[in-house]
Amino acid sequence: MEEVIKDIIIKENEDYIINMGPQHPSTHGVLRFEVCLVGETVKYLIPHCGYIHRGIEKMCEKDTYQQIIHLTDRMDYLSAHINNEAVCLCVENALQVQVPERVVYIRTILSELSRIASHQLWWAAFGMDMGALTTFFYGLRDREKILDIFEESFGSRLLHSFNTPGGLMHDIHPNFQNGIKEFIKYFRKKLPEYDQLLTNNVIFKERSIGLGVLSKEDAISFGITGPSGRASGFACDIRKRFPYSAYDKVQFNEILFNEGDTFHRYKARIEEMKESMNILEQLVDNIPAGDYTAKLKPIIKLPVGEYYQRVEAARGELGVYIISDGNKNPLRVKFRTPNFSNLFIMNKLAAGSKIADLVAISGSLDLVIPDIDR
Amino acid sequence: MSFSIYDFTSLTQSVDQALKNSLSPTWALIIEMVIVGLIFLMFYALLGLFLVYAERKICAFIQNRLGPNRVGPLGLFQTIADLIKLLMKELIYIKQADKLLFNLAPFIVIIASFMAIAAIPFAKGLHAIDLNIGIFYIMAVSSLGVVGILLAGWSSNSKYSLIGAMRSGAQIISYELSVGLSLLSIVIFSGTMQISGIVESQADAWWIIKGHIPAIIAFLIFLIASTAETNRGPFDLAEAESELTAGFHTEYSGIKFAFFFLAEYMNMFIVAAIATTVFLGGWMPFHIPGLLSFNTVMDYIPPVVWFMGKTAFIIFIMMWFKWTFPRLRIDQLLKLEWKYLLPLNLINILVIAFVVLMGWYLH
Amino acid sequence: MTNEDLKLKISSQVPDAEFSENKQFTEALIPHLSLHKLALWLKNDPETRFDYLFCLTGVDYGSELAVVYHLNSTSHKHDLVLKVKTNNRENPSFDTVCDIWRTAEYFEREVFDLFGIRFNNHPDMRRLFLDDDWKGFPLRKDYTDEHTIERK
């Protein structure tokens, strides 16, 4: 054994156990933390998942590639579009299909819009976790604008399954670009409100700075990706490291901090919203004309082989691993979801802190439970 | 029998006289107590309904929402509808709970807040009991509520409730000190513990103006500490819904939950009323020494309006706190009290004693 | 480091490793007894430095069970896929790598839950998603239960 695992949990009979979840306001879904307390202090916690395990990977083995798209929506429902894109890119790479430039641009724009919407909802819910109830309404107010754009173009607000292998389901609404430009103008004005309400608040700073510090080594070893990993200095942005879609055509910064505490995980997401708006601004006027989908056969059969595609979802690295035996159904589909890895750092970060800190840390990791259970 | 909205003394005295003339003194006293009790019960219920409505409207205003607007004009009857709902809800009994204490706890909480309201003067002569140790009485009675909260948390036999109750105990016992000491600073200024005496001493100007900096410091400390004492955000650790689901009243339902709910609002009112009485002149109008015509105009506004207006202002500030700030952590909460507020308060009292000794305040 | 160098280096450690190449990754099929040793070496060798395990997958190829490790080096920015296979469907087991990459701890629990592959020396080998009393391993190709609905 290379290193002795230090944070192994030793249960004792006299432990004061309290179950947070499956229904609890701070777990944002059906997750259960088995928390052992000494007074107010957390001694250890064990996550129990699987309450909404739907066997998506098993279902995928019986589905065609077009059908898989609709299942991936339901994993991380807050970045549904990015999940779809990952599967589409994987299938397209396997078939070696060149999708039209228009599709590439629109997909990138949608990814960034989803990312902003997801971070807005996270901000709203994180404020609630910290006890600032008003943030929830401010976050949702702004997220509504993005959902309106989605609704106008795709007819649905949350799970839009707009991607399909080869391109998009249909073309965008003529008002799409205007809507985005208006949103950017609006949101640039509203983002400072987030800082006024929460970031600069003394109590908030006092509670989050220096809390739940995650070192870079741990972040890599535990596979903590996304803004949570980048707050610890782990340069894990797939958009920079392995550019896909139109990310090699735009200029943007990878948000990196070295502190790795709750406050900087918070900060990383706020900064990322600004970067996403920069990316949107570079793309929105340059959507090339052309088809909205490449011509593909109605029944897709991938050549025998193994294909892996990673994308940067709103919460970190999403990997799609398809093993094909040449049939219209895959032999095996594996989703490497960001929240799955991110969840299991909880014990390490929260052990030794207070109950309130536990809630703040789990909020700052931005867990979406269906993404863990799949 | 004369009646004036500026002075209720003659009204109350004539009622007292009439009762004493027709009945024996004991019976007169009993009937007076019943009348006062009924009046306070009515007042209590109405105030609770109004405060819940006000809280929801203010919270909606802060959060970019409309708030209740369906039941009745402007949603005014929303709380009545809620009350009917709460009354009809099933009372859930927990098998493992300590039945007697579990049922007793909401009453202790509500009785404690009910007792404190008796010592508050609403206008000249509109005062249930004017004890010569009024401030002392209020401090003693208002800390009884924590017994109810502790019992509620302990007897529910739920771990969330127990943690909430323990937090509440630690919090209220700590902040009790700051509340007491900041009230004491005004006792030093006015030289009396009798509440009517404190109000009378502010006839020329309120203590927050007369006592300038030390009084303002005491007022701010009282505002912070009393928000903590009523278990309201950002000090709502005993409930802490994102951590403990509902804290000490997790297991309560129906009307028993409503008692806790009502008691929270009443405590807020009482705390605001005390702040008004002690720091902001109670029912005394706003006077600027020297400006005679201005003072006369101010005198025309009835004292009840003055009292309620000031109280409403402080309640608004407390609601504003709650809907803006994130919650503190338990160790930060105790640190704030023991490391900052309490030493500041002790020094402040010393300064006030010195100021009073030297006569450096307006009088 | 090029793919050829990487292959040579792995061959020097594990002589009977079989390589295959697809467009994306270099893939090495290694005997499962040398898995832990090789993994440890891949992480610590200054030229390979595979410090980031970004995916761990269990696969049922029909006749044999496999576990696939996707590795990445955050400093050298190269990728590698390790694969171990076994024919033992009754009681398959591999060595754990969760002492090398901590993220493997829960990936391995998931693989155990869905494929029934045990990992030796794992600190907490329990089911992750399903109930503890669940019978069978759902992601295996031969898994059936009374609730399975076949789509024709």
Side-chain angles (χ1 to χ4, degrees), chain A residues 263-324:
Chain A
F263 184 72
H264 284 87
R265 284 194 282 275
Y266 169 90
K267 205 79 181 130
R269 290 197 172 83
I270 296 277
E271 295 297 321
E272 208 163 82
M273 285 198 259
K274 292 177 189 161
E275 282 305 316
S276 290
M277 282 195 285
N278 286 341
I279 297 174
L280 283 176
E281 269 179 342
Q282 293 171 45
L283 291 174
V284 70
D285 280 326
N286 303 324
I287 302 178
D291 284 338
Y292 61 83
T293 178
K295 290 262 178 300
L296 284 187
K297 286 183 190 154
I299 293 177
I300 299 172
K301 287 183 179 175
L302 294 197
V304 181
E306 309 193 349
Y307 310 97
Y308 194 92
Q309 176 67 44
R310 42 197 158 183
V311 298
E312 180 73 15
R315 279 157 193 76
E317 176 178 340
L318 172 73
V320 178
Y321 182 38
I322 298 179
I323 301 177
S324 169

Side-chain angles (χ1 to χ4, degrees), chain B residues 59-213:
Chain B
C59 144
F61 167 68
I62 291 173
Q63 296 180 340
N64 284 319
R65 297 188 284 120
L66 289 174
N69 61 354
R70 296 287 150 150
V71 191
L74 295 171
L76 269 169
F77 300 142
Q78 180 67 50
T79 25
I80 296 170
D82 283 347
L83 184 76
I84 293 168
K85 179 198 77 177
L86 281 171
L87 279 170
M88 307 226 287
K89 276 210 164 174
E90 184 191 355
L91 289 173
I92 295 167
Y93 292 95
I94 293 114
K95 213 174 171 185
Q96 303 286 321
D98 188 323
K99 289 249 164 42
L100 174 70
L101 297 181
F102 185 75
N103 292 331
L104 192 65
F107 293 100
I108 294 183
V109 171
I110 212 149
I111 286 170
S113 66
F114 205 55
M115 279 162 83
I117 213 169
I120 289 164
F122 294 87
K124 190 167 188 176
L126 207 60
H127 197 166
I129 28 168
D130 189 15
L131 295 168
N132 54 357
I133 47 158
I135 289 283
F136 192 67
Y137 169 78
I138 284 176
M139 275 158 59
V141 159
S142 64
S143 51
L144 276 179
V146 69
V147 176
I149 291 177
L150 275 172
L151 279 184
W154 183 78
S155 65
S156 298
N157 198 21
S158 152
K159 288 173 179 175
Y160 282 120
S161 302
L162 186 60
I163 295 172
M166 289 304 162
R167 280 180 176 189
S168 180
Q171 178 180 341
I172 291 182
I173 286 167
S174 308
Y175 278 83
E176 191 80 348
L177 284 169
S178 276
V179 170
L181 286 175
S182 52
L183 289 178
L184 215 59
S185 57
I186 297 303
V187 172
I188 298 176
F189 268 128
S190 59
T192 174
M193 273 189 148
Q194 195 167 15
I195 294 203
S196 61
I198 291 177
V199 176
E200 291 297 340
S201 69
Q202 302 178 80
D204 46 348
W206 307 345
W207 275 120
I208 196 164
I209 298 163
K210 283 205 290 189
H212 49 87
I213 297 166

Side-chain angles (χ1 to χ4, degrees), chain A residues 129-182:
Chain A
D129 287 343
M130 300 289 257
L133 301 162
T134 302
T135 59
F136 196 74
F137 293 89
Y138 279 68
L140 287 193
R141 175 195 66 186
D142 300 337
R143 179 166 173 267
E144 203 70 0
K145 306 276 179 205
I146 294 182
L147 297 191
D148 286 345
I149 297 175
F150 285 163
E151 189 180 10
E152 195 175 48
S153 271
F154 328 132
S156 64
R157 294 164 75 83
L158 193 63
L159 309 175
H160 23 76
S161 297
F162 190 53
N163 281 307
T164 180
L168 307 171
M169 286 286 189
H170 49 82
D171 213 347
I172 48 170
H173 192 272
N175 199 24
F176 183 68
Q177 278 141 303
N178 269 338
I180 291 172
K181 275 186 248 174
E182 266 168 36

Side-chain angles (χ1 to χ4, degrees), chain A residues 51-64:
Chain A
Y51 287 91
I52 33 174
H53 178 66
R54 292 147 295 175
I56 284 184
E57 287 171 7
K58 181 79 178 174
M59 283 195 265
C60 288
E61 291 176 10
K62 295 276 162 63
D63 284 342
T64 64

